[in-house]
Amino acid sequence: MSGRFIEGHVEQACLDWLKALGYSILHGPDISPDGDAPERAAYDATILIERFKTAFHNINSHLNADACDYALLKLQQTELPTLIEENRRIHQLIVDGVDVDITREDGSIGTDKAKLIDFENPSNNDWLAVNQFTVIEGGYNRRPDVVVFINGLPISVIELKNPVDENATIDDAYNQLQTYKDETEGLFRTNGLLITSDGLLARVGSLTANSERFMAWRTVDGENIAPKGVPELETLINGVFDKSRLLSLLRGFVVFENTGS
């Protein structure tokens, strides 16, 4: 990624790095409701239902379709008044699992935990990155550059800017994400990480982080600092989106502060 390149080149490089990490890559318009291979019933649907169901049954082979439908309902329905409260509720479901009813061999009713993500076995999950993923919600039409899914759940949104446009900065990418959050909340209910980059600089932050809390990711392996000249986005993608590391970040390094409200 040397020399002069444009936003589209940065986006393609991002997808190439994710593909090298083992993610499937799809083009948003292809899986849109009116695309060639639709995976969404409507543009406000942000969970890829069939991928979720397939992964659910793969991870929870002992549970029936009713358990899957109930887990999906818990993800889709809104129970709390704000996005951050919903994100906290759903994050707990992702980490701890969903309590579902089961019928025991003796006919009695009990409960079991349905896993939404297999944290112990990364290869047991469905890993996908989609570029140009259009979301239409409340009359707003937005199209993030790259959305990363685990088991059909949108876990990360990546917003990129043209590195040769002096008016399109990494701060603009951050501001664009804030607009997406305000106007298309459905895309962020299961969110774990937000990424901004202008192709040269790259930052990672949480759903509620201000721009100062979006930080650089300096290493791929956790030991060696990336040398100068290596695009920060390449280091960030390879460092954060390594499957085992991303699962570790989601499971053990997301903290919600309780202010009592």
Side-chain angles (χ1 to χ4, degrees):
M1 247 172 53
S2 60
R4 296 177 66 83
F5 51 93
I6 61 174
E7 182 178 333
H9 296 161
V10 179
E11 182 179 296
Q12 187 57 53
C14 178
L15 295 173
D16 290 343
W17 293 322
L18 288 167
K19 183 177 181 180
L21 290 171
Y23 291 74
S24 299
I25 306 297
L26 290 175
H27 188 41
D30 292 339
I31 66 169
S32 66
D34 49 4
D36 294 335
E39 295 196 26
R40 309 162 64 195
Y43 279 102
D44 62 352
T46 56
I47 295 176
L48 305 180
I49 302 297
E50 293 307 314
R51 286 182 182 269
F52 173 82
K53 289 182 176 180
T54 299
F56 183 94
H57 291 302
N58 184 44
I59 297 170
N60 306 281
S61 58
H62 61 295
L63 297 176
N64 59 25
D66 289 342
C68 180
D69 291 341
Y70 178 76
L72 184 59
L73 178 64
K74 294 293 288 183
L75 292 169
Q76 292 177 311
Q77 68 184 9
T78 299
E79 297 184 6
L80 298 169
T82 67
L83 172 59
I84 184 60
E85 288 176 283
E86 276 292 278
N87 183 255
R88 181 183 185 182
R89 177 183 71 84
I90 292 175
H91 178 263
Q92 186 170 6
L93 296 179
I94 289 174
V95 171
D96 297 335
V98 178
D99 289 323
V100 296
D101 291 334
I102 59 169
T103 302
R104 302 189 183 98
E105 292 184 2
D106 62 4
S108 62
I109 302 297
T111 60
D112 199 351
K113 285 284 188 184
K115 294 181 180 180
L116 304 182
I117 292 177
D118 190 336
F119 287 95
E120 283 73 31
N121 304 288
S123 62
N124 214 20
N125 299 295
D126 180 284
W127 302 85
L128 174 69
V130 180
N131 69 326
Q132 303 301 312
F133 186 80
T134 297
V135 179
I136 302 176
E137 186 178 312
Y140 296 104
N141 186 324
R142 298 302 176 193
R143 189 172 61 188
D145 292 316
V146 179
V147 180
V148 175
F149 295 82
I150 303 178
N151 300 340
L153 306 178
I155 293 296
S156 183
V157 178
I158 302 172
E159 186 63 18
L160 307 167
K161 292 300 176 185
N162 186 344
V164 299
D165 183 352
E166 63 182 16
N167 296 316
T169 67
I170 197 168
D171 289 331
D172 293 323
Y174 171 83
N175 292 332
Q176 191 71 55
L177 286 177
Q178 305 317 302
T179 298
Y180 293 158
K181 282 178 8 183
D182 291 340
E183 298 177 350
T184 54
E185 286 191 2
L187 181 60
F188 297 90
R189 297 172 76 250
T190 60
N191 184 268
L193 296 169
L194 299 176
I195 310 297
T196 60
S197 179
D198 63 2
L200 303 174
L201 305 175
R203 301 290 183 266
V204 56
S206 69
L207 186 67
T208 60
N210 59 31
S211 58
E212 288 75 22
R213 291 291 184 180
F214 269 65
M215 308 299 288
W217 192 276
R218 301 293 188 188
T219 177
V220 172
D221 60 11
E223 297 185 10
N224 300 296
I225 301 299
K228 292 183 177 180
V230 174
E232 290 185 359
L233 183 60
E234 182 177 6
T235 301
L236 187 152
I237 294 296
N238 287 316
V240 171
F241 289 95
D242 168 85
K243 293 178 181 179
S244 294
R245 190 170 299 113
L246 180 56
L247 292 182
S248 179
L249 286 170
L250 293 174
R251 191 183 200 181
F253 293 88
V254 177
V255 178
F256 291 85
E257 181 182 10
N258 188 346
T259 62
S261 61

